[in-house]
């Protein structure tokens, strides 16, 4: 990323300071950049996991359109998917930190092993790892292709 | 508390190597950040140790940017930051920390004290607080990435 990422999705949080701590502990994000006011409140931050970067944005004080799911009846209008090297270890880490897993770990027919989880303010994330062997659907397809 | 910008990256070098590069080769990475789109000119160097000066030279002219306030290799250093040619001007502060991390060193840079800059100060570029901090965040990110490239190239 010599010139930085070309796409940085942003998520709104009511409490960006708490969110940064939580996202580091539960999901393993590392701080890339942040700025903070005199009261110690983070106004904006970019955090990284692998090569991916996501922005943590303050939901209040800018626009009524900027809402955290916490203040919007848990509604999500976006979903973030993150590729990680070992999704089982990632899931265990998130659960240790108290994350709410909304879709348990499983092998998907499209060749990924993944789980879905809510963060501290209700944003939904999927973490996934490419399966080493053929996906379940491919195995079934291979079986049905066998001559009778 | 103070208005601050924090940037952080991981460098594939030991903390002592990273410290030596960040201080000894400051001119090589500082120029990467283009605040206000201004073209960088001049050269930078540190006088090592507490009380040492961060100096900028442009041709024959020499300006003091600030003094070193803390010098603790390889854990980190702190220096003052003023506009070149404004020895009595408002002063912000930059701290750089080096912590061992998997694969090398986590380098974290914190620039604080923006509230000391009056609204019409040239370092603000006429920007409101948030835009200013955002801009400095970008600037330091570019500088840190450049330092990372320098550190990893010199290995």
């Amino acid at each position: 990323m010599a010139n930085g990422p070309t796409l940085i999705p942003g998520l709104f949080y009511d409490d960006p300071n708490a969110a940064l701590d939580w996202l580091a502990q539960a999901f393993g994000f590392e701080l890339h950049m942040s700025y903070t006011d005199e009261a110690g409140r983070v106004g904006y931050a970019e955090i990284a996991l692998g090569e991916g970067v996501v922005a943590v944005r303050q939901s209040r004080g800018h626009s009524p359109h900027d809402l955290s799911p916490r203040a919007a009846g848990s509604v999500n209008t976006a979903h973030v998917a993150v590729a990680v090297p070992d999704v089982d270890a990632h899931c265990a880490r998130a659960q240790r930190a108290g994350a709410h897993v909304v879709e348990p770990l499983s092998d998907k027919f499209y060749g990924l092993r993944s789980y879905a989880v809510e963060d501290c303010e209700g944003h939904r994330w999927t973490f996934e790892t490419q399966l080493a062997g053929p996906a379940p659907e491919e195995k079934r397809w291979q079986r049905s292709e066998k001559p009778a | 508390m103070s208005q601050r910008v924090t940037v952080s990256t991981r460098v594939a070098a030991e903390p002592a190597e990273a410290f030596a590069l960040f201080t000894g080769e400051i001119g090589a990475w500082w120029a990467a950040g283009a605040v206000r789109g201004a073209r960088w000119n001049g050269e930078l160097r540190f006088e090592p140790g507490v009380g040492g000066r961060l100096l900028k030279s442009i041709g024959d002219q020499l300006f003091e940017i600030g003094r070193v306030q803390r010098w603790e290799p390889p854990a980190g250093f702190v220096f003052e930051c003023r506009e070149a040619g404004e020895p009595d001007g408002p002063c912000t502060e930059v701290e750089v920390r080096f912590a061992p991390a998997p694969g090398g060193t986590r380098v974290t840079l914190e620039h604080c004290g923006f509230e000391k800059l009056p609204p019409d100060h040239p370092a603000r570029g006429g920007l409101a607080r948030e835009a200013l901090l955002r801009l400095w965040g970008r600037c330091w990110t570019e500088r840190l990435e450049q330092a990372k490239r320098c550190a990893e190239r010199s290995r």
Side-chain angles (χ1 to χ4, degrees):
Chain A
M1 290 196 299
N3 298 306
T6 55
L7 178 70
I8 304 179
L11 299 173
F12 294 110
Y13 290 89
D14 288 344
D15 187 346
N17 295 59
L20 288 174
D21 290 343
W22 195 93
L23 293 166
Q25 199 189 347
F27 293 167
F29 276 97
E30 293 181 334
L31 183 72
H32 194 203
M33 185 264 272
S34 71
Y35 59 75
T36 307
D37 68 13
E38 301 94 311
R41 287 184 300 247
V42 171
Y44 176 87
E46 290 174 7
I47 53 177
L49 191 61
E51 294 294 305
V53 175
V54 71
V56 169
R57 308 180 75 109
Q58 170 62 254
S59 57
R60 289 173 291 194
H62 294 280
S63 154
H65 302 290
D66 302 347
L67 286 180
S68 159
R70 185 195 268 177
S74 295
V75 167
N76 272 216
T77 58
H79 185 101
V80 188
V82 186
V84 292
D86 180 349
V87 73
D88 288 74
H90 194 275
C91 185
R93 173 186 188 144
Q95 285 179 305
R96 275 199 305 276
H100 176 216
V101 172
V102 292
E103 202 187 290
L105 260 176
S106 65
D107 294 351
K108 301 295 190 299
F109 69 88
Y110 39 83
L112 295 174
R113 181 166 173 75
S114 68
Y115 76 103
V117 58
E118 265 183 8
D119 71 18
C120 53
E121 294 201 15
H123 291 285
R124 291 195 171 199
W125 302 67
T126 293
F127 291 91
E128 59 198 30
T129 298
Q130 193 91 35
L131 285 168
E137 204 72 352
E138 281 179 282
K139 283 186 210 161
R140 274 201 291 281
W141 180 78
Q142 283 165 357
R143 272 203 298 275
S144 68
E145 283 292 287
K146 280 181 188 157
Chain B
M1 274 296 182
S2 166
Q3 286 175 25
R4 68 186 60 213
V5 168
T6 308
V7 294
S8 185
T9 193
R10 211 188 291 211
V11 176
E14 294 301 311
E17 288 176 85
F19 185 98
L21 176 115
F22 271 74
T23 53
E25 309 278 327
I26 187 166
W29 57 274
W30 187 285
V35 175
R36 310 193 295 274
R39 241 201 13 232
W40 173 260
N41 57 3
E43 285 178 19
L44 273 181
R45 68 184 163 86
F46 264 121
E47 292 174 342
V50 173
R53 296 173 299 172
L54 173 57
L55 294 167
K56 179 180 182 180
S57 55
I58 304 174
D60 299 339
Q61 292 181 292
L62 198 63
F63 302 101
E64 179 180 320
I65 303 283
R67 299 263 172 164
V68 174
Q69 294 175 312
R70 216 168 66 218
W71 189 267
E72 293 164 0
F77 59 98
V78 178
F79 62 94
E80 302 165 325
C81 198
R82 287 190 188 83
E83 283 287 292
E86 265 193 44
D88 301 319
C91 173
T92 56
E93 195 174 86
V94 177
E95 176 176 15
V96 189
R97 297 189 296 269
F98 304 86
T105 302
R106 173 145 293 278
V107 182
T108 302
L109 182 148
E110 216 157 57
H111 188 177
C112 66
F114 289 97
E115 68 281 357
K116 294 181 205 162
L117 301 175
D120 59 348
H121 192 267
R124 281 197 180 274
L127 292 170
R129 183 189 74 190
E130 186 158 343
L132 176 78
L133 295 179
R134 185 86 183 261
L135 194 73
W136 273 100
R138 287 266 161 260
C139 167
W140 284 118
T141 299
E142 286 173 32
R143 286 177 178 169
L144 217 60
E145 287 304 312
Q146 176 66 17
K148 176 186 165 84
R149 285 193 288 273
C150 291
E152 293 174 358
R153 215 170 26 229
S154 68
R155 280 169 75 80

